[in-house]
Amino acid sequence: MHTLDAELDTARRIARQAGAILLEVYATRFAVQDKAGGLGPVTEADERANAFIVGALRDAFPSDGVVAEESDNSAGAGRFERCWFVDPMDGTQEFVNRNGEFAIHIGLAIAGKATLGVVYRPVGDTLYSGVVGQGGFVEDARGRRALRVSDTAEPSALRLVVSRSHRSRLTDAVALRLGITREQQCGSVGLKCGLLAEAACDLYLHVSDKSYRWDNCAPEAVLRAAGGVLTDLGGAPYSYAGAELQNRRGLLACNAAAFERVASVVAGFAREAGLLR
């Protein structure tokens, strides 16, 4: 069985080097532009990190596909058995707000499934990494520790992590129905999934269609490597093999023990909200 050790080591190195690029811009009075179509802010940091990561991955793995947020992705991922999905800075709004809660996502999908992931937070030097079926680790100031989601099965005992920038009524409704009373705010999708992977939180919902495969490939691989689950709001997995890059049915990330009970409630609310047509 191929262990993907070389791919993981390379992705970790590239993520840390890209993190230095982000911090270099972070220390300046950078300009902020709005993306076309209301897709949020973009900065010089996004574009420079994107170019660096894409170039480094293509140099290292010339036969693999690379799909990245700030690139022309018209070629799509479907032509490749192996395709890297890159978000050079997930949480650009957090970068703009200077709260440190942004991260680099480098994920590898094989045969359409998220398989390897690296999520790196430059501020605080925290790196999550994992390979599905082979486990994962977090590295930070406290050292290197194995990732493992919690085994909390009772929905009312779950700890919810919510977006700092995009509060959702549907998430509030789900929390109320499940009896969840504990929550934590966090920026990047990858950092939220990292909190689940290290058992600091248990549940995360992204309840709009404003996310893309590069947002969740790396976080999904890290979370699944830690024993967790990431699906759409209907409980179905996303494929990374086709031309569709937008996550039109939102995201549900949860520990495995509570997933079935949570997923049925989430799907019901998502259907009522028209997110599961």
Side-chain angles (χ1 to χ4, degrees):
M1 179 180 177
H2 184 35
T3 63
L4 299 177
D5 286 349
E7 287 86 345
L8 189 60
D9 287 346
T10 300
R12 285 155 42 91
R13 172 181 57 79
I14 292 171
R16 289 189 183 279
Q17 290 173 313
I21 294 172
L22 297 189
L23 290 180
E24 183 180 312
V25 178
Y26 197 54
T28 70
R29 296 179 63 182
F30 55 84
V32 182
Q33 297 176 300
D34 290 321
K35 286 187 182 181
L39 295 179
V42 65
T43 72
E44 172 194 351
D46 299 78
E47 294 165 349
R48 284 180 54 191
N50 193 96
F52 170 76
I53 297 168
V54 169
L57 287 172
R58 286 183 173 151
D59 285 346
F61 308 107
S63 62
D64 292 355
V66 181
V67 171
E69 180 171 10
E70 309 302 337
S71 298
D72 175 5
N73 296 306
S74 56
R79 297 188 292 113
F80 301 94
E81 170 72 10
R82 298 182 7 145
C83 187
W84 296 88
F85 287 80
V86 174
D87 190 340
M89 181 159 61
D90 185 62
T92 301
Q93 188 62 57
E94 318 308 327
F95 185 88
V96 171
N97 293 346
R98 296 187 182 275
N99 64 26
E101 293 180 351
F102 53 89
I104 293 161
H105 295 180
I106 302 177
L108 174 62
I110 300 177
K113 295 183 178 180
T115 303
L116 175 153
V118 170
V119 172
Y120 180 55
R121 175 178 175 167
V123 175
D125 188 23
T126 299
L127 189 144
Y128 298 96
S129 63
V131 176
V132 177
Q134 297 175 27
F137 295 88
V138 58
E139 298 165 69
D140 59 17
R142 293 181 290 160
R144 184 174 189 260
R145 307 179 302 284
L147 292 171
R148 185 68 196 172
V149 297
S150 79
D151 58 3
T152 303
E154 171 54 47
S156 64
L158 297 177
R159 296 157 298 174
L160 177 68
V161 59
V162 298
S163 174
R164 192 176 293 282
S165 303
H166 312 286
R167 187 77 197 191
S168 159
R169 291 181 182 177
L170 191 149
T171 299
D172 289 342
V174 168
L176 184 62
R177 175 69 60 84
L178 293 174
I180 295 173
T181 58
R182 290 189 290 171
E183 71 171 52
Q184 177 176 335
Q185 290 186 330
C186 184
S188 159
V189 173
L191 298 182
K192 293 185 185 83
C193 288
L195 291 173
L196 268 68
E198 59 176 322
C201 291
D202 309 296
L203 175 63
Y204 165 59
L205 304 175
H206 181 87
V207 300
S208 84
D209 61 1
K210 296 292 192 294
S211 73
Y212 293 80
R213 298 296 198 275
W214 50 72
D215 291 308
N216 52 288
C217 183
E220 177 179 349
V222 169
L223 184 56
R224 289 179 59 209
V229 184
L230 189 146
T231 66
D232 68 21
L233 294 174
Y238 275 112
S239 169
Y240 297 85
E244 178 58 71
L245 294 176
Q246 189 171 355
N247 299 330
R248 299 187 183 278
R249 293 161 57 94
L251 299 174
L252 162 59
C254 190
N255 71 15
F259 176 76
E260 293 299 334
R261 294 172 71 181
V262 168
S264 61
V265 172
V266 170
F269 278 107
R271 286 191 191 94
E272 290 176 14
L275 290 166
L276 297 179
R277 298 184 185 88

